[in-house]
């Protein structure tokens, strides 16, 4: 069934392609399973009817800009997190903003397949989004979720769901207002003893199968050679053992400090349902406290770690008390 | 080989008896997921598994990380004596994958001893797949949810009772005390088999798919197919028939380890010179599909994909190998025989 959000997106995409403003539009289309959407690349005006945006569009489309021909005029459909990722990539000189046309869409949040039950025990046959409810059909019957209960944690914690610095914003209401971020989960984690925090981290990392879906789904992970692939010297173990698994997760998180836009695409890509955003969210909180910086918010504010000098901001390290017991 | 019959109540007690002599691996619930793991008692086993545990059973024979030897001045080879095992509750698609891997890893002259020892010490008892899910396509690639070809025994649930097809002598040992199935019971199973198979996808025309894909090799088809690929290892790591590995020396631990590798990784085909014969995701995606549908067929005469659906289901961007095959079948590529 066509919905107005999709029709407005399609109309804008059509205009851009017909008028030659861009060569290609990056968006989402229907996938091959009832709970999946696929990223798609539309270069012909007569193909725009494929475009859709709903709660099952789980990727951060900005990831595709990292291997994208630099000169190509490209439109990309962006929600809040995608617009902030692109802002960060532009600041890091990965892309020229003038070659990009951002079609902003106020975000309605992304559904968490784990929460709606895409598990081995309950295969999902259909997902229907009905306003603030989500109807999921399983092999053995239907279940109605409140939308907020079915959303991915990253979306529930999101502070900036509105697209920033977009060239056009689709006139549709989003699900949240900016600034509705619920920080309580981070406080709860910080207040755990060091031992308890370590237990949480270990339990998450030990399920890692080193497939690097988290890295590849992340717009900010664009290194030509990832530290984890470096063999001379070898930075961390290559094996499925705590040393390598924990090494990967903790160093990956640190490389995201002040760069992560908290989209949660890493967690949604993970085939083992490993939680990762609590690490990057903590680091982002430190960046906000120490430098007043949040990734992707300000098109002119260079990331502190690109500008840090003796005369600029100074890390005090006193922000967090250690609750070790 | 005999066909046996057993009630649900009695079947659920059987693994407890096996446990006296064997290590039993079966699907158990591990957090939110199902996983093939060592069972302590029958009660842990999840009996109704509508869809495959995400982490494949190949890991029991080709572990994701396996220590091949250790060294501390002198080399120590790793003890290869394996305890007898029963692998229970996998679907026929997974059993087929393990048999396919024998082709790759058990060369008569030069078998992979690590694989072979685990394989020989294991009895494979599959369960028929009564309710294949949206991502399943075993029938498209030469299998069946009731396939008896690759297991030591196959268990089929019929009306709350179970039919046991004993398929090898190895498998017979586990079920020797059960009564034989009666004709009426066998008929029920055959009916069910036909019913479930009828709802499954039709077989890909193997030869045409093979030829079309070969003809597509140098075309833009692969650019299109791979455009959304992220380049992670989900499809290959969760694939029950992918077997590529890399050997690393873990110098701190003083171990030589064999780790799964993935043709979807940038570094997989990167040569020491810096040259990469598969430089972009286009070549890498092509390799994964060609290996399954062309190279396996050339080498052993069957498709190297068993239709378990894991790559379809867990790909973060929903790249669907079924759709790629269908697409290749319906296109005209230059140089194709008409």
């Amino acid at each position: 069934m066509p919905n107005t959000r999709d029709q407005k997106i399609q109309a804008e995409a059509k205009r851009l392609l017909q008028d030659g403003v861009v060569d290609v539009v990056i968006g989402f289309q229907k996938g091959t399973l009832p709970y999946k959407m696929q990223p798609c690349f539309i270069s012909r005006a007569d193909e725009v009817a494929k475009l859709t945006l709903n709660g099952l569009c789980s990727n951060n489309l900005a990831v595709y800009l990292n291997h994208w021909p630099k000169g190509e005029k490209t439109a990309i459909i962006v929600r809040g997190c995608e617009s902030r990722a692109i802002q960060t990539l532009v600041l890091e000189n990965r892309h020229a903003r003038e070659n990009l046309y951002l079609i902003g869409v106020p975000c309605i949040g992304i559904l968490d397949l784990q929460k709606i039950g895409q598990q081995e025990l309950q295969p999902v046959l259909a997902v229907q989004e009905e306003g603030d409810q989500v109807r999921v059909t399983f092999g053995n019957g239907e279940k109605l979720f409140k939308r907020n209960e079915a959303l991915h944690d990253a979306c529930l914690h999101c502070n900036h769901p509105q697209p920033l610095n977009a060239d056009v914003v689709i006139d549709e209401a989003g699900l949240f207002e900016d600034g509705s971020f619920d920080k309580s989960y981070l406080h709860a984690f910080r207040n755990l003893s060091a031992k308890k925090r370590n237990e949480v981290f270990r339990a998450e990392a030990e399920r890692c199968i080193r497939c690097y879906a988290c890295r590849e789904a992340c717009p900010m992970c664009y290194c030509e050679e990832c530290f984890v692939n470096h063999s001379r010297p070898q930075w961390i173990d290559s094996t499925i053992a705590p040393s390598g698994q924990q090494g990967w997760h903790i160093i990956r998180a640190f490389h995201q400090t002040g760069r992560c836009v908290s989209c949660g695409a890493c967690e949604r890509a993970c085939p083992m349902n490993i939680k990762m955003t609590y690490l990057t969210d903590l680091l982002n909180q430190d960046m906000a406290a120490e430098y007043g910086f949040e990734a992707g918010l300000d098109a002119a504010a260079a990331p502190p770690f690109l500008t840090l000098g003796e005369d600029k901001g100074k890390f005090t390290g006193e922000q967090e008390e250690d609750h070790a017991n | 080989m005999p066909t046996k019959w057993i009630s649900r109540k009695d079947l659920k007690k059987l693994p407890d008896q096996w446990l006296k002599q064997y290590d039993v691996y079966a699907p158990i619930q591990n957090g939110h997921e199902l996983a093939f793991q060592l069972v302590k008692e029958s009660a842990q086993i999840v009996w109704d598994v509508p869809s495959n545990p995400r982490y494949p059973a190949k890991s029991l024979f080709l572990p994701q990380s396996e220590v091949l030897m250790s060294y501390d001045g002198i080399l120590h080879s790793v003890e290869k004596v394996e305890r007898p095992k029963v692998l229970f509750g996998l679907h026929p698609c997974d059993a087929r994958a393990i048999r396919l891997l024998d082709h790759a890893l058990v060369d008569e002259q030069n078998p992979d001893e690590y694989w072979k020892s685990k394989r020989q010490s294991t009895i494979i008892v599959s369960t028929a797949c009564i309710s294949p899910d949206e991502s399943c396509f075993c029938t498209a690639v030469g299998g069946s949810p009731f396939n008896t070809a690759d297991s030591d025994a196959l268990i089929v649930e019929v009306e709350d009772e179970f039919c046991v097809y004993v398929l090898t002598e190895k498998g017979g040992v586990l079920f020797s005390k059960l009564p034989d199935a009666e004709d009426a019971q066998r008929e029920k199973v055959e009916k069910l088999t036909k019913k479930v198979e009828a709802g499954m996808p039709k077989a890909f025309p193997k030869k045409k798919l093979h030829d079309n894909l070969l003809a597509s090799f140098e075309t833009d088809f692969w650019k299109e197919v791979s455009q959304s690929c992220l380049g992670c290892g989900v499809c290959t790591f969760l694939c029950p028939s992918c077997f590529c590995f890399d050997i690393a020396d873990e110098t701190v631990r003083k171990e030589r380890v064999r780790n799964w590798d993935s043709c979807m990784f940038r570094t997989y085909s990167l040569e020491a010179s810096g040259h990469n014969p598969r430089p972009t995701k286009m070549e890498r995606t092509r390799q994964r599909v060609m290996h399954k549908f062309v190279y396996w067929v050339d080498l052993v005469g069957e498709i190297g994909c068993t239709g378990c659906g894991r790559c379809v289901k867990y790909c973060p961007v929903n790249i669907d190998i079924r759709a790629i095959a269908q697409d290749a079948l319906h296109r005209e590529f230059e140089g194709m025989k008409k």
Side-chain angles (χ1 to χ4, degrees), chain A residues 31-32 35-36 38 59 64 114 119-121 209-211 213 216 223 234 237-240 243 271 273, chain B residues 29 32-33 50 52 54 64-65 227-228 230 232-233 237 250 253 257 259 265-266 313 315-318 320:
Chain A
T32 65
Y35 47 84
K36 292 258 191 180
Q38 294 172 336
N59 311 104
Y64 292 108
Q114 194 62 40
Q119 294 168 24
E120 292 90 336
L121 288 167
I209 61 169
R210 311 289 293 269
C211 69
E216 303 301 337
C223 287
Q234 186 190 37
D237 271 9
S238 58
T239 54
I240 297 298
S243 54
N273 293 317
Chain B
Q29 195 156 359
H32 292 298
E33 294 99 40
N52 291 312
R54 60 188 71 189
Q64 187 164 5
S65 291
Q227 198 162 21
S228 65
L230 297 173
C232 72
F237 279 7
E250 292 295 351
R253 291 215 305 265
V257 192
N259 296 313
F265 288 157
R266 273 168 295 187
K313 199 167 175 173
C315 171
V317 294
N318 187 221
D320 188 329

Side-chain angles (χ1 to χ4, degrees), chain B residues 6 11 14 18 47 88-89 125-130 146 153-157 161-165 175:
Chain B
I6 186 170
L11 177 69
L14 265 186
W18 301 339
W47 298 84
F88 174 82
V125 181
S126 309
T127 48
C129 183
I130 310 282
F146 293 77
L154 176 78
I155 297 181
V156 186
E157 184 184 351
E161 294 183 300
F162 291 86
C163 175
V164 182
Y165 288 102
F175 302 100

Side-chain angles (χ1 to χ4, degrees), chain A residues 30-41 58-59 63-64 67-68 114 118-125 207-217 222-226 229 234 236-241 243 268-273, chain B residues 29-30 32-35 46 48-55 64-65 131 133-135 227-234 237-238 248-253 255 257 259-260 265-267 270 281 309 312-320 322-323:
Chain A
K30 204 170 173 302
T32 65
L33 292 171
Y35 47 84
K36 292 258 191 180
M37 296 293 141
Q38 294 172 336
C40 69
F41 308 84
S58 69
N59 311 104
V63 74
Y64 292 108
H67 304 283
W68 202 251
Q114 194 62 40
Q118 187 242 38
Q119 294 168 24
E120 292 90 336
L121 288 167
Q122 277 182 314
V124 172
L125 301 181
R207 300 202 302 284
C208 180
I209 61 169
R210 311 289 293 269
C211 69
Y212 305 120
C214 47
R215 175 182 75 190
E216 303 301 337
Y222 54 71
C223 287
E224 281 301 314
E225 187 183 22
C226 178
N229 295 128
Q234 186 190 37
I236 61 168
D237 271 9
S238 58
T239 54
I240 297 298
S243 54
R268 292 187 296 275
C270 177
M272 306 309 282
N273 293 317
Chain B
Q29 195 156 359
N30 184 15
H32 292 298
E33 294 99 40
L34 285 179
V46 178
D48 302 305
V49 178
S51 116
N52 291 312
R54 60 188 71 189
Y55 197 63
Q64 187 164 5
S65 291
S131 51
D133 86 4
E134 293 282 310
S135 53
Q227 198 162 21
S228 65
C229 176
L230 297 173
C232 72
V234 170
F237 279 7
L238 300 190
D249 285 339
E250 292 295 351
T251 48
V252 178
R253 291 215 305 265
E255 286 169 348
V257 192
N259 296 313
W260 289 354
F265 288 157
R266 273 168 295 187
T267 47
L270 182 63
K281 56 190 181 181
V312 176
K313 199 167 175 173
Y314 296 106
C315 171
V317 294
N318 187 221
I319 288 180
D320 188 329
R322 300 171 299 181

Side-chain angles (χ1 to χ4, degrees), chain A residues 26 28 39 41 58-68 76-78 81-82 85-86 89 94-95 212-222 261 263 265-266 269, chain B residues 227-231 281 316-317:
Chain A
I26 307 180
F28 286 98
F41 308 84
S58 69
N59 311 104
N60 186 322
L61 292 177
V63 74
Y64 292 108
L65 295 179
N66 284 325
H67 304 283
W68 202 251
I76 178 164
I77 292 163
V78 296
C81 50
E82 280 149 336
I86 289 171
L89 291 175
R94 296 294 298 173
H95 247 281
Y212 305 120
C214 47
R215 175 182 75 190
E216 303 301 337
C218 175
M220 298 309 143
C221 273
Y222 54 71
V261 295
C263 64
C266 49
Chain B
Q227 198 162 21
S228 65
C229 176
L230 297 173
K281 56 190 181 181
V317 294

